[in-house]
Amino acid sequence: MSKGKIFRDAMKRGMVAAPGCFDCITARSIERAGFEAVYMTGAGTAASLGYPDYGLVTMSEMADNAGRIATAITLPVIADADTGYGNELNAIRTVREYEKRGVAGIHIEDQGFPKKCGHLEDKTIVPIEDYVAKIRAAVSAKVDPDFLIIARTDSRAMLGFEEAIRRANAAIEAGADMAFVEAPQTLEETASVPKLVKGPCLLNMVWKGKTPDLSIDEAGKMNYAVMILPGVLTRTVVGACDAALADLKAKGRHPAPLSDITPQQGFRLSGADEWDGYRTRFREPVPKAAE
């Protein structure tokens, strides 16, 4: 069964909450926690490569990271694909590259370059005709019919809420599987999105972002199909690292980690049990030479 089908089946049971990961370590943490899906954050991926979320990371770098994550876990992965990295031709290749890496779905936005995180100011929005054409091209490129094309619009900040809804509906009409209206700015707007958009909707919950803080249950009651929490681990990791290093510098001694585990337990979290089994599985005694 494809990861896209697994994700769609999960949505039939209720809203899917997908915390954000930026590498295999954080993806495995989400899987151990019992969530049904993971979200590969573009901002976190960019940060892990040393860049802000300004469209500086290439399609191949993003797709490769998504592929590593998808291989490391059994959960379906929804991944950030920024703007599709160009026009319709680039969007087609983007879908092909992410899909063949085992990702369940991607979202493509209507920003121009240089793009930015949806909760920052001064974004450039492309004409709706360019956006819809790109979504049509992305949909046409799917091999697995269950692979999700999620149409993200960042137009709320620059063009207003009504235009964001118009674009979301145009993308759904063009064949997108889901709409992602980025950064609604009030509780009323956030609640209105699933009512006004003629298809499933995704909610992006960013800590101290533009959208009012909602719980998973609250978003589910608003009839969102998916809730992503991109920075929940990225920001936690930064805080934990800063605290541990401050403790080390102050005391001159290895601080007790938040995950106080042995080296062996740490390697088990990275799949050592599976790989240990291969060390001897394929070895058999070699017959002695005839005398």
Side-chain angles (χ1 to χ4, degrees):
M1 184 185 299
S2 74
K3 293 298 180 67
K5 180 66 164 61
I6 292 171
F7 189 86
R8 288 175 185 269
D9 286 347
M11 287 194 296
K12 292 177 183 177
R13 296 189 292 270
M15 192 191 77
V16 176
C21 67
F22 56 88
D23 63 6
C24 297
I25 296 173
T26 48
R28 281 180 159 145
S29 292
I30 295 166
E31 186 169 50
R32 288 196 303 274
F35 288 90
E36 291 187 289
V38 306
Y39 171 69
M40 189 199 82
T41 159
T45 298
S48 73
L49 295 175
Y51 298 104
D53 186 19
Y54 285 3
L56 296 167
V57 180
T58 66
M59 182 273 288
S60 56
E61 289 173 315
M62 291 282 282
D64 283 346
N65 194 43
R68 287 190 292 269
I69 291 167
T71 300
I73 59 177
T74 61
L75 297 180
V77 178
I78 298 297
D80 189 344
D82 295 316
T83 66
Y85 309 99
N87 59 20
E88 296 94 309
L89 279 68
N90 304 93
I92 288 171
R93 186 182 174 212
T94 295
V95 171
R96 291 175 178 174
E97 295 295 331
Y98 276 83
E99 186 176 355
K100 74 182 183 183
R101 285 166 172 79
V103 176
I106 60 174
H107 64 73
I108 295 176
E109 67 203 38
D110 59 355
Q111 285 196 53
F113 273 90
K115 63 139 285 172
K116 283 186 174 184
C117 165
H119 291 257
L120 299 179
E121 305 297 334
D122 299 325
K123 295 178 288 292
T124 300
I125 305 301
V126 301
I128 188 171
E129 295 81 8
D130 294 351
Y131 172 52
V132 172
K134 195 181 299 189
I135 295 300
R136 286 198 195 100
V139 171
S140 78
K142 295 197 299 182
V143 175
D144 175 9
D146 289 317
F147 185 84
L148 286 97
I149 302 297
I150 302 168
R152 167 175 157 172
T153 177
D154 288 70
S155 57
R156 166 61 187 93
M158 307 304 294
L159 304 176
F161 183 69
E162 289 185 7
E163 176 62 13
I165 296 299
R166 182 170 83 101
R167 287 177 174 237
N169 279 323
I172 292 290
E173 187 175 347
D177 299 290
M178 186 177 298
F180 173 0
V181 175
E182 174 65 305
Q185 296 183 12
T186 67
L187 189 59
E188 181 181 5
E189 285 185 1
T190 307
S192 295
V193 170
K195 298 175 183 177
L196 298 174
V197 173
K198 300 172 183 177
C201 294
L202 179 151
L203 177 65
N204 184 18
M205 188 49 54
V206 173
W207 182 255
K208 294 188 176 181
K210 293 181 177 294
T211 301
D213 183 42
L214 294 174
S215 69
I216 292 172
D217 285 346
E218 288 169 334
K221 289 175 182 176
M222 290 179 178
N223 290 323
Y224 279 94
V226 178
M227 181 183 194
I228 58 172
L229 300 94
V232 64
L233 294 183
T234 309
R235 297 187 186 188
T236 299
V237 166
V238 170
C241 289
D242 287 349
L245 293 170
D247 196 10
L248 172 61
K249 194 168 185 179
K251 298 177 181 176
R253 182 181 297 277
H254 196 308
L258 291 176
S259 55
D260 190 6
I261 56 178
T262 66
Q264 291 81 5
Q265 290 170 322
F267 289 126
R268 290 185 71 183
L269 296 179
S270 298
D273 286 348
E274 175 191 356
W275 292 97
D276 280 341
Y278 299 144
R279 294 168 67 91
T280 57
R281 179 178 301 179
F282 307 106
R283 294 187 172 268
E284 296 179 354
V286 177
K288 293 182 178 180
E291 296 182 357

